[in-house]
Amino acid sequence: METTPLNFQKELSVCKDGEDCQENGVLRKGVPAPADKVESGQISNGYSAVPSPSAGDDTQHSIPAATTALVAEVHHEERETWGKKGDFLLSVIGYAVDLGNVWRFPYICYQNGGGAFLIPYTIMAIFGGIPLFYMELVLGQYHRNGCISIWKKVCPMFKGIGYAICIIAFYIASYYNTIMAWALYYLISSFTDQLPWTSCENPWNTDNCTNYFLEGNVTWTQDSTSPAEEFYMRHVLQIHQSQGLQDLGGISWQLTLCIMLIFTIIYFSIWKGVRTSGKVVWVTATSPYIILLILLVRGATLPGAWRGVFFYLKPSWQKLLETGVWVDAAAQIFFSLGPGFGVLLAFASYNKFNNNCYQDALVTSLVNCMTSFISGFVIFTVLGYMAEMRKEEVSEVAKDAGPSLLFITYAEAIANMPASTFFAVIFFLMLITLGLDSTFAGLEGVITAVLDEFPHIWSKRREWLVLGVVIICFFGSLTTLTFGGAYVVKLLEEYATGPAVLTVVLLEAVAVYWFYGITQFCSDVKEMLGFSPGWFWRVCWVVISPLFLLFIICSFLMSPPHLRLFQYTYPPWSIVLGYCIGTSSFLCVPTYITYRLIITPGTLKERIMKGINPETSTEIPRGDIHLNAV
């Protein structure tokens, strides 16, 4: 976007390549330009030049330096910014810390060697996850664009990455909010004197229902089910009315109402932009930590809690020799920090130009990893209590993974604590707030991308754009609200989003580090922060981070997960369907590259060169630069 003061003509004096020059008090920096000409008012290195007056006007006069500085300042005000630094930090933390920190990390940790797992987890975070996290914050803050239009300033040929990210965000919204709808249903059901998943005397219970916590001897057989399991499967999901993916059954009206309420909260939290959502996250991002602390203290006082903690942290050093442990560590830190979803680009684009995003990357990454670690204590103190009550080993109690760990095992433990209603309410409220933060972020990434790509259409109609995105996500969620919706959630989670986003981020890293250039990227960092990244960051960005992503992708392709949920084994055609859904988003990248090469004039070499060189400048939104140039 160009800034033209008054009605002056767009004429610039010529600067020599590689030299800085000054005209009418305006700083301009010259670099070797790409094959095509630089547009008026723009400099090829990404700086925006404020046009100077020329003799073409009826009255010749000069513009004082202070006036040109004022123009830059006015343009800076055009893009919305965070109300304060805390809004940004809490938004990023709320995005990175989600439901996966509560259920996935503890399960992955004890399954892969307990305390020994922290070694590969930390290594993968330092050399893979955090550098990618830092990269996206830098890109977003410097270029100040969403995940689609930013590529015009970086590497235009890879613009399809932005479209792929938006499609992936839609797939995630199609199942992620359904899990929050389950939590909301549990929350509403918790406002009773006796929690409904504590007895076998409800209409949805079967003859196999057996209550562990009844006084006296209880005979447990292979066909026995707990009240919490039947409440989750037969009342909330109603999965017994579905035969599998081939017959999902009808739509649950209860869950439909819950997800409508979820989307209503989402809409009114983000419809006005980051200044609104930045205030909401002060509640939704901080309350989970208060609740986690309460649950941790309560769990630590339960009988048998030490057994769960011991099981959680007991190191199994021989596990470090298994490749699968390192793959799980890499995948966990990647999906926990969340680069590649367009969210960090969007959030950072609303920062002030000289914000210390380096410090932000380190702080938010550390908070995210520590939250995952502490969540393990919250979960396993309760699992130890369950094992103590059942007179079983913790390994037998901790068989459930994913949502079942929260909605069956943990829910059952809470139901048999003193003050069970209170702890159930705050626990499921915590799950909802964790999910809301991530949904705010995911949809904001899409909305920012569309606003920046089509400002002439949507810049004054943000509320309608947000409404349209929310409605599309709601209709996309309908398949997950069916009686067999849990099968769809599992399929989308494992196949439709994971491999696709890994591939997209790998291409993003290659485009930024190799085509845009690590030298130019580090120069951008120095321009913002005043210092250039050291050799550690350069090596990680150019070599280690791409290898980190390639390692996860190859491991997934060589040993794809065998899907099974409850007693249902996914048929082979469903795996093919999952791959097709995942590929549908990734196809945006080669499709756009082909389209770009076709429409660009010139020889093949010229087309490629134009496709990998920035075509649009990046504006420096700091008025003080112009003032210092006087």
Side-chain angles (χ1 to χ4, degrees):
M1 185 182 296
E2 297 180 2
T3 304
T4 307
L6 304 180
N7 295 317
F8 300 120
Q9 297 177 358
K10 299 178 182 179
E11 294 183 6
L12 300 173
S13 66
V14 179
C15 297
K16 294 181 180 180
D17 290 347
E19 296 181 0
D20 295 353
C21 64
Q22 177 179 336
E23 179 185 5
N24 292 331
V26 179
L27 175 66
R28 298 190 292 139
K29 189 172 182 179
V31 296
D36 49 340
K37 294 183 178 180
V38 181
E39 298 179 5
S40 297
Q42 296 176 334
I43 302 301
S44 62
N45 76 323
Y47 291 83
S48 175
V50 180
S52 58
S54 66
D57 292 314
D58 295 336
T59 303
Q60 295 183 6
H61 55 281
S62 61
I63 299 297
T67 305
T68 57
L70 178 61
V71 171
E73 191 69 30
V74 170
H75 183 81
H76 177 52
E77 292 293 325
E78 288 183 4
R79 186 171 183 84
E80 185 181 15
T81 57
W82 296 99
K84 47 189 172 182
K85 179 66 174 284
D87 296 353
F88 168 70
L89 286 176
L90 286 177
S91 295
V92 175
I93 291 173
Y95 159 67
V97 178
D98 64 352
L99 295 171
N101 293 72
V102 178
W103 81 53
R104 181 172 170 80
F105 178 83
Y107 176 80
I108 292 293
C109 185
Y110 89 76
Q111 195 178 44
N112 289 282
F117 176 75
L118 298 177
I119 295 176
Y121 180 77
T122 304
I123 292 174
M124 290 298 180
I126 293 174
F127 292 98
I130 297 177
L132 290 170
F133 191 88
Y134 182 24
M135 174 201 73
E136 287 216 340
L137 291 183
V138 169
L139 278 180
Q141 183 169 305
Y142 185 83
H143 296 288
R144 301 174 68 79
N145 279 108
C147 61
I148 298 177
S149 55
I150 194 173
W151 292 102
K152 292 185 289 187
K153 302 178 179 181
V154 177
C155 191
M157 188 177 290
F158 286 90
K159 190 176 180 180
I161 289 176
Y163 293 107
I165 288 174
C166 291
I167 295 175
I168 291 171
F170 167 72
Y171 290 150
I172 294 174
S174 297
Y175 73 83
Y176 193 82
N177 295 292
T178 299
I179 299 175
M180 281 194 289
W182 299 346
L184 180 58
Y185 194 95
Y186 267 85
L187 176 64
I188 296 172
S189 302
S190 299
F191 288 98
T192 58
D193 294 335
Q194 182 181 12
L195 297 176
W197 56 89
T198 57
S199 70
C200 296
E201 301 175 357
N202 302 290
W204 57 83
N205 290 127
T206 65
D207 295 335
N208 293 325
C209 182
T210 306
N211 196 339
Y212 279 111
F213 293 88
L214 288 177
E215 296 294 336
N217 295 325
V218 176
T219 303
W220 185 264
T221 66
Q222 292 182 346
D223 296 327
S224 298
T225 55
S226 67
E229 182 179 352
E230 293 201 348
F231 178 82
Y232 176 57
M233 294 179 61
R234 298 181 61 85
H235 184 61
V236 178
L237 303 181
Q238 302 181 60
I239 205 167
H240 61 286
Q241 299 189 50
S242 170
Q243 301 301 316
L245 287 175
Q246 70 277 8
D247 180 19
L248 294 175
I251 295 177
S252 170
W253 65 268
Q254 298 98 325
L255 293 180
T256 302
L257 292 177
C258 287
I259 206 169
M260 287 177 67
L261 180 56
I262 292 291
F263 276 121
T264 301
I265 296 172
I266 292 169
Y267 175 76
F268 286 107
S269 298
I270 66 175
W271 70 322
K272 290 294 185 182
V274 294
R275 285 186 178 269
T276 302
S277 62
K279 300 298 182 290
V280 176
V281 294
W282 282 89
V283 176
T284 57
T286 57
S287 57
Y289 288 96
I290 299 173
I291 297 173
L292 275 176
L293 180 61
I294 295 173
L295 293 174
L296 178 62
V297 172
R298 182 67 187 104
T301 60
L302 293 172
W306 65 271
R307 294 176 58 188
V309 173
F310 180 76
F311 183 78
Y312 172 46
L313 295 179
K314 180 183 177 182
S316 178
W317 302 110
Q318 65 272 18
K319 284 278 189 179
L320 297 180
L321 302 177
E322 299 179 11
T323 306
V325 173
W326 293 84
V327 174
D328 285 345
Q332 174 61 27
I333 191 63
F334 175 83
F335 289 110
S336 181
L337 292 177
F341 292 91
V343 174
L344 300 177
L345 289 174
F347 280 173
S349 72
Y350 297 112
N351 275 335
K352 295 180 179 179
F353 185 76
N354 59 352
N355 172 66
N356 193 342
C357 56
Y358 170 70
Q359 186 182 62
D360 296 342
L362 297 181
V363 170
T364 52
S365 299
L366 180 62
V367 170
N368 176 70
C369 294
M370 290 303 299
T371 304
S372 297
F373 183 62
I374 293 173
S375 297
F377 289 96
V378 174
I379 296 296
F380 275 92
T381 52
V382 172
L383 293 182
Y385 165 69
M386 289 286 291
E388 184 79 11
M389 295 297 100
R390 293 184 182 182
K391 297 179 175 58
E392 292 180 337
E393 294 296 325
V394 180
S395 58
E396 294 297 316
V397 178
K399 284 182 177 180
D400 290 325
S404 298
L405 181 64
L406 304 180
F407 293 113
I408 297 178
T409 307
Y410 204 91
E412 183 178 359
I414 288 177
N416 292 278
M417 294 179 186
S420 58
T421 297
F422 169 74
F423 287 108
V425 167
I426 65 170
F427 175 70
F428 292 112
L429 186 62
M430 179 190 71
L431 297 185
I432 294 170
T433 54
L434 285 172
L436 284 174
D437 288 333
S438 298
T439 301
F440 294 163
L443 295 186
E444 185 60 53
V446 175
I447 292 162
T448 299
V450 175
L451 287 173
D452 289 341
E453 182 67 11
F454 308 104
H456 55 289
I457 299 175
W458 296 110
S459 61
K460 303 298 184 182
R461 304 180 179 91
R462 178 187 169 96
E463 295 86 350
W464 291 103
L465 174 61
V466 176
L467 180 62
V469 170
V470 168
I471 290 174
I472 291 173
C473 292
F474 170 75
F475 282 108
S477 304
L478 290 180
T479 55
T480 63
L481 299 174
T482 58
F483 300 142
Y487 301 134
V488 182
V489 170
K490 181 76 171 177
L491 181 67
L492 291 176
E493 182 182 14
E494 295 290 344
Y495 281 93
T497 57
V501 77
L502 286 168
T503 308
V504 164
V505 178
L506 175 61
L507 293 176
E508 179 183 335
V510 169
V512 173
Y513 304 147
W514 296 356
F515 290 103
Y516 184 66
I518 190 65
T519 302
Q520 180 61 48
F521 183 74
C522 292
S523 176
D524 296 346
V525 176
K526 186 175 182 179
E527 193 68 42
M528 290 190 301
L529 307 184
F531 60 87
S532 184
W535 64 267
F536 167 79
W537 295 105
R538 293 172 184 252
V539 171
C540 286
W541 283 330
V542 175
V543 180
I544 299 178
S545 292
L547 290 177
F548 165 81
L549 294 166
L550 193 62
F551 172 63
I552 307 176
I553 294 169
C554 292
S555 300
F556 179 89
L557 295 177
M558 288 188 298
S559 56
H562 301 286
L563 295 189
R564 181 180 176 84
L565 183 63
F566 306 126
Q567 304 301 318
Y568 177 72
T569 301
Y570 284 69
W573 63 265
S574 66
I575 309 303
V576 176
L577 175 63
Y579 276 121
C580 289
I581 297 174
T583 307
S584 66
S585 57
F586 170 71
L587 282 178
C588 292
V589 181
T591 300
Y592 187 83
I593 292 176
T594 305
Y595 165 76
R596 176 89 188 185
L597 292 175
I598 292 174
I599 67 169
T600 304
T603 64
L604 179 61
K605 181 180 179 180
E606 291 173 342
R607 296 178 184 185
I608 294 175
M609 291 304 296
K610 290 179 181 179
I612 62 177
N613 283 295
E615 67 179 22
T616 305
S617 67
T618 295
E619 300 163 358
I620 293 185
R622 295 185 300 175
D624 57 325
I625 286 185
H626 301 297
L627 287 172
N628 293 336
V630 177

